[in-house]
Amino acid sequence: MTVSTEVDHNDYTGNGVTTSFPYTFRIFKKSDLTVQVADLNENITVLTLDTDYSVTGAGTYSGGNVVLMSPLANGWQISISRDLPVTQETDLRNQGKFFAEVHEDAFDKLTMLIQQCFSFLRLALRKPSFIANYYDALNNRIRNLCDPSQAQDAATKRYTDVLYSDAIIHADENFNKSVRVTDSSIPSLPGIASRRNKILAFNNEGNPIVVLPESGSAADVLIELGSSAIPGSSLVMHSDGKTVQQYINILNRRTSFVMPEDFAGTDTQQLLAALSYAKTNGIGRIELIAGKTYTLTGTVGLDIDLGYFSFGCNFGRATIDSTGFTGDGAVWVHSSAPYNDGNRVHSNKMRGVEFKGTINEIGQSLIIIGNKNNTANGTYNGDCHIEDCSFKTCDKVLLATNSTWRYKFINCGFTNEMTGGTHIMHFPAGLADSGESVSFVNCKIYDTKRALLAVDCANFAIGMPGTSVLNCPIEINGAGALIILDSAANIENPGATAWYRYAKVTGVAARLVMNGCTLVCNQPSLQLQPLFEVTPNAFIDYSHVKSPGNNYPFQNGAEGFRTFVEGDGYVIAEGCIADIGSGAGNIPIHKSLNPTRNFGFATGDLTSWSFNNQGSASQTCVVDAAYKKTGSFGARMTSIGSLSCFLTQNVKVTKHNYYTCSLLVNVVTPGTGVSAGGLTVTFYDRSGVKIIDGISSNIPNTVSGWISIGQFIQGRVVQSAEYCEVSIRCRDGAVIDVDSFIINFT
């Protein structure tokens, strides 16, 4: 077979009846065809094989038929063209018979591909000759051409039609607006410099000239008013002292924001008017002047509805002084926008404002959040964002009400500059629809003059990532309530002059979480009680925190234990360490983390303890109420001569992380040796083999009352350790009372 024809496509016009259309050229496979149809509007569609049509005659030499699934509409055109993949699939070997048809098929395909290329070339816009400097469209239209952008681009029909129409309209409009004379010509006016601030006149010949208006005349005034140099609008004064130009400036920008200064009256009246105008007219922002102090008086506070507008100072900081305000709350920040419109509040913010109040001792609040416990104010009060603001001094600096949820305070400060305030923040009991995802991010709550951060509402959750809580007592009293300090948050007492409780957790299942935050305790000698308290059924999660080192006298607290946390609640601790460098003040976190049994001799005997008198009955250990430091009982150890006696207990290692320990000791009678005894902790493996020599802490050989020892017994638990032996030694004739041994593995 040879390819004896150059035909590689067939075109037909439909009659609404015919479905079969022949193709008169060879193809190898039915997929070697491309079938396209064009409707009456010349829209071209490529049909799909086996969906829109089928093919017969593939592989024959004479062609075949394309059979449509439905007749081609009358007047529609169909094109059937060969479209071969550009491949060479014939594999000729150096052995075997010569198959002429195999070679011929390969050559046929090459010829078909060449024809296909020429066919595509015939569809291109071409020059008629190499010497021609134009392209010949062969009387065909060019469609989908862009409007021209460069000087030498081809122009489209629409482009030229529009230009022509606009030119005619423009010429007609200008002509109709022009001043015309019947003369054949008239001289032009002088230049700008000559006609500036002059009026038009005509000389004896009727030619135009410019002349000065009479001073003080109406023309003179009108020229001044029409001047752009002054401008003239600045010469017209309103009764309130503002010029027309000033009002124009205000109106020009009121579509985007308003300012209190746009309105008349006192600072308070201006603020209230701006708030009302913005909400009523859909203005998205109220802008305060940076560096300005606005005075708020009266009993009506500022209603800042972040569901509808932003409020504050975008650049710098403005101040609202409410020291003379006598209402319940100086500023109420909320969102009354319907819940489904809540996305707007993700961009609306209050920012760049310093709020200042005073102590009136009447329960007044500086900022109120939520709906003020009034359903008429709406219930959708979440997603309020307050950034770069500060709140200073009030009976209650911040008060939460019903519908307090998803409030986000970012880079804000809260403080009291006067004593007498009750709360720096108060989340009262009984709040409805409240407590979801309230956060204070990178904020500073500081120097509150003992005003509380109190969470009394059940199940109220507050996140404080990166926030510093300084000289501010925390109380979590609501059942299931939560405060979490994390992400390098900080809690401490800078400039401490007396002890105070950092945090107290009392609510059933209430939680204080300190995760990866910094804990600092200044003026150690003033810290007479543990910093934290957790009551029964409450929790403190004390994780990834370094306990501050120093010789705190915590053992004088209510329980007498030398721990950072007191109370009968639960403490969870993970990945905590102490002051590794010096060992000073390395004390346990809480008694609930103590795996020691009968650590305070509460059974009234030596249950779980072993006593070794080294074979001398004169060396004794007696449990009695008279020997206690805390609880019901303590133990008295008596040694004689040069002998020692030992009170020991094996304690299972609960974690292979870090450990700290503490023992309360009272030296009744000093011994004759260098010490009255000591405390030793030694680690053993599962087989009972000692891993390393134990770390010891000596008991001073002086009568000094109850003291705490063990702060240097700390460190990393050996990985192979199964248990540790706690050994309390009394030596060389000393008599000592011991109580409350605590070891924490964190």
Side-chain angles (χ1 to χ4, degrees), residues 532-543:
F532 302 92
E533 182 179 0
V534 57
T535 61
N537 299 315
F539 295 82
I540 291 180
D541 188 337
Y542 197 105
S543 301

Side-chain angles (χ1 to χ4, degrees), residues 322-323 356-364 392-397 415-424 448-449 451:
S322 64
T323 54
K356 297 175 62 176
T358 190
I359 303 295
N360 289 318
E361 299 183 353
I362 58 174
Q364 188 182 60
K392 295 181 178 180
T393 313
C394 203
D395 299 347
K396 295 184 178 183
V397 173
T415 188
N416 267 335
E417 296 176 323
M418 304 168 61
T419 60
T422 60
H423 295 82
I424 194 71
T448 68
K449 305 296 188 292

Side-chain angles (χ1 to χ4, degrees), residues 112-130:
M112 293 176 186
L113 287 172
I114 293 170
Q115 290 178 350
Q116 185 172 306
C117 292
F118 278 111
S119 181
F120 292 154
L121 182 61
R122 285 192 290 273
L123 298 177
L125 182 65
R126 297 179 296 167
K127 290 182 176 182
S129 167
F130 287 106

Side-chain angles (χ1 to χ4, degrees), residues 441-475:
V441 182
N442 296 329
C443 293
K444 184 169 67 174
I445 307 165
Y446 63 105
D447 298 334
T448 68
K449 305 296 188 292
R450 300 293 185 268
L452 294 175
L453 195 171
V455 185
D456 299 327
C457 180
N459 301 312
F460 202 103
I462 299 175
M464 292 187 172
T467 288
S468 296
V469 182
L470 314 172
N471 284 333
C472 174
I474 298 172
E475 290 190 2

Side-chain angles (χ1 to χ4, degrees), residues 443-446 453 464 466-476 483-486 488-494 500-505 512-522 531-532 540 542 545-548 552 564:
C443 293
K444 184 169 67 174
I445 307 165
Y446 63 105
L453 195 171
M464 292 187 172
T467 288
S468 296
V469 182
L470 314 172
N471 284 333
C472 174
I474 298 172
E475 290 190 2
I476 308 175
I483 290 180
I484 178 169
L485 289 158
D486 64 345
N490 181 62
I491 181 168
E492 67 170 294
N493 58 341
Y500 78 94
R501 186 84 68 196
Y502 280 19
K504 183 176 181 180
V505 189
L512 171 64
V513 178
M514 294 179 288
N515 184 16
C517 69
T518 302
L519 175 62
V520 180
C521 185
N522 299 290
L531 301 178
F532 302 92
I540 291 180
Y542 197 105
V545 176
K546 185 185 84 65
S547 298
Y552 307 106
F564 278 98

Side-chain angles (χ1 to χ4, degrees), residues 627-645:
Y627 310 140
K628 70 178 184 178
K629 171 62 174 73
T630 186
S632 299
F633 300 97
R636 174 164 289 181
M637 299 176 67
T638 302
S639 62
I640 61 170
S642 61
L643 298 179
S644 296
C645 56

Side-chain angles (χ1 to χ4, degrees), residues 151-290:
Q152 298 302 116
D153 286 357
T156 63
K157 181 178 182 300
R158 185 194 68 84
Y159 181 81
T160 55
D161 287 348
V162 170
L163 280 183
Y164 176 78
S165 177
D166 289 348
I168 296 299
I169 293 172
H170 183 70
D172 288 344
E173 288 179 348
N174 286 342
F175 183 77
N176 292 333
K177 295 176 184 177
S178 64
V179 178
R180 301 178 294 278
V181 297
T182 58
D183 307 272
S184 60
S185 66
I186 188 170
S188 62
L189 290 172
I192 294 175
S194 298
R195 65 176 187 268
R196 181 179 288 118
N197 295 322
K198 296 182 176 68
I199 59 176
L200 178 65
F202 296 89
N203 62 15
N204 189 58
E205 287 76 29
N207 294 327
I209 60 174
V210 291
V211 297
L212 287 170
E214 182 182 355
S215 180
S217 65
D220 187 25
V221 174
L222 290 173
I223 288 175
E224 290 290 314
L225 292 175
S227 172
S228 61
I230 301 176
S233 56
S234 65
L235 301 176
V236 183
M237 191 70 66
H238 192 269
S239 60
D240 63 359
K242 287 188 173 70
T243 67
V244 171
Q245 183 61 46
Q246 289 174 313
Y247 272 104
I248 291 173
N249 294 339
I250 292 171
L251 292 173
N252 284 341
R253 62 161 173 73
R254 273 193 179 178
T255 57
S256 58
F257 70 94
V258 297
M259 301 178 69
E261 291 74 15
D262 298 343
F263 306 91
T266 64
D267 288 352
T268 300
Q269 292 169 330
Q270 290 178 325
L271 287 166
L272 295 175
L275 290 166
S276 176
Y277 184 90
K279 189 170 182 178
T280 302
N281 295 277
I283 308 302
R285 178 162 61 95
I286 299 173
E287 183 71 18
L288 306 183
I289 296 176

